Amino acid sequence: MERYSRQLLVKGIGIEGQKRLARSRVLLVGCGGLGTNIANILVRAGVGFIRIIDKDSVELSNLQRQSLYDEKDAKDNLPKVEAARRVLEQINSTVEIETVVEELISGNIDKYLTDIGLVMDGTDNFTTRFLINRACVKKGIPWIHGGVAATSGVVMNFTDKEGPCLECIYPGDLVSREVPGTGTVGILGTLTSVVGALQSNEAIKFLTGNIDNMMEGMLYIDLWRSTFERIAISKRDDCNCCKP
Ligand SMILES: [Zn+2]
């Protein structure tokens, strides 16, 4: 437990919280800007098991923000999850790490949600997020959303079964919700660190049993203006996804 001595001292965590973390099983979807930061934090914090799924390989343009990769990974065109696993195993060998070089799709999501207690959104598109949302609502699995573009981002917890789901917030035609990717609008390297850290922060509270301390609503972050705003969100009675 020496590894976690500073974390154990945090009020609300302690030995009991650390034991809860060690029993936790997390699915991380996407291992890019958000995902590398989330994996780094959660593996250091001592989650029991993390399954990381991403189909992409490391490219030179990733290195500005994707904190687990280096030039050799890009040169070797290594799958991101493999490059991440090598680093994460060096960081904390007590965490069980499973990697999947695939895209999360409707045909495999049930398999990868098996035995999972929390899903972390490290994706870069709404198609996959709506897929995660629908599967998690159906199975009653909590998940934590993060999204980034250029200099602004959002964080939302979908960890309360009585609360709204992603489709309550973004109803209607799902495909039209797609936002321009980082290849079009760019991305500030600090943004993925901030949003990934805030998602991980919510995950640590959730996994250690500090549910009452979790964030409510949508946190909207604008790093160019250096502002953090909390926006109220609510469940929709006519939601296509979560209405009873
Ligand atoms: Zn809903």
Side-chain angles (χ1 to χ4, degrees):
M1 282 285 183
E2 190 196 344
R3 170 194 296 271
Y4 305 116
S5 60
R6 300 305 184 271
Q7 186 164 277
L8 292 170
L9 289 170
V10 175
K11 205 178 158 195
I13 296 186
I15 296 275
E16 188 49 43
Q18 196 62 49
K19 283 183 180 168
R20 282 175 177 244
L21 265 179
R23 290 195 298 267
S24 66
R25 297 178 64 86
V26 174
L27 171 66
L28 170 60
V29 186
C31 203
L34 294 176
T36 50
N37 281 291
I38 293 167
N40 181 40
I41 293 171
L42 294 187
V43 165
R44 286 180 192 275
V47 295
F49 169 86
I50 187 165
R51 175 180 293 142
I52 311 173
I53 178 165
D54 195 307
K55 71 174 189 336
D56 291 337
S57 298
V58 180
E59 295 173 10
L60 204 55
S61 65
N62 301 149
L63 303 187
Q64 165 244 8
R65 66 198 176 281
Q66 302 188 14
S67 61
L68 297 174
Y69 311 136
D70 61 28
E71 289 180 3
K72 188 169 187 310
D73 299 331
K75 190 161 173 279
D76 295 345
N77 206 233
L78 211 60
K80 285 183 175 179
V81 293
E82 292 310 313
R85 184 162 54 81
R86 287 183 191 179
V87 177
L88 295 167
E89 282 173 349
Q90 299 281 320
I91 291 170
N92 191 345
S93 58
T94 70
V95 176
E96 191 186 341
I97 299 165
E98 182 186 304
T99 53
V100 183
V101 188
E102 277 180 52
E103 186 175 8
L104 192 73
I105 54 171
S106 58
N108 63 20
I109 189 166
D110 284 353
K111 178 169 73 172
Y112 293 127
L113 282 174
T114 304
D115 299 329
I116 289 299
L118 178 69
V119 177
M120 299 298 289
D121 172 13
T123 71
D124 59 0
N125 68 86
F126 270 88
T127 303
T128 310
R129 288 184 185 119
F130 284 118
L131 179 72
I132 293 169
N133 185 61
R134 291 213 158 178
C136 284
V137 166
K138 195 172 88 185
K139 292 173 181 287
I141 299 173
W143 69 288
I144 297 175
H145 164 56
V148 287
T151 59
S152 61
V154 295
V155 178
M156 270 190 283
N157 290 323
F158 295 109
T159 47
D160 178 4
K161 283 174 194 159
E162 307 304 316
C165 81
L166 189 69
E167 281 188 50
C168 291
I169 318 298
Y170 302 119
D173 174 22
L174 306 185
V175 178
S176 68
R177 294 285 167 191
E178 283 303 348
V179 289
T182 56
T184 310
V185 296
I187 183 121
L188 203 60
T190 49
L191 182 66
T192 47
S193 297
V194 169
V195 172
L198 288 168
Q199 286 177 271
S200 307
N201 184 54
E202 295 305 310
I204 289 171
K205 286 185 282 183
F206 181 79
L207 296 172
T208 55
N210 290 281
I211 310 293
D212 292 344
N213 292 86
M214 293 189 69
M215 182 188 76
E216 289 179 1
M218 174 197 285
L219 182 63
Y220 179 78
I221 301 138
D222 185 334
L223 289 188
W224 216 237
R225 291 190 296 136
S226 298
T227 54
F228 288 68
E229 295 169 69
R230 197 100 70 83
I231 300 156
I233 55 175
S234 53
K235 201 174 178 75
R236 290 171 64 98
D237 294 337
D238 61 345
C239 177
N240 281 330
C241 179
C242 72
K243 75 173 173 217

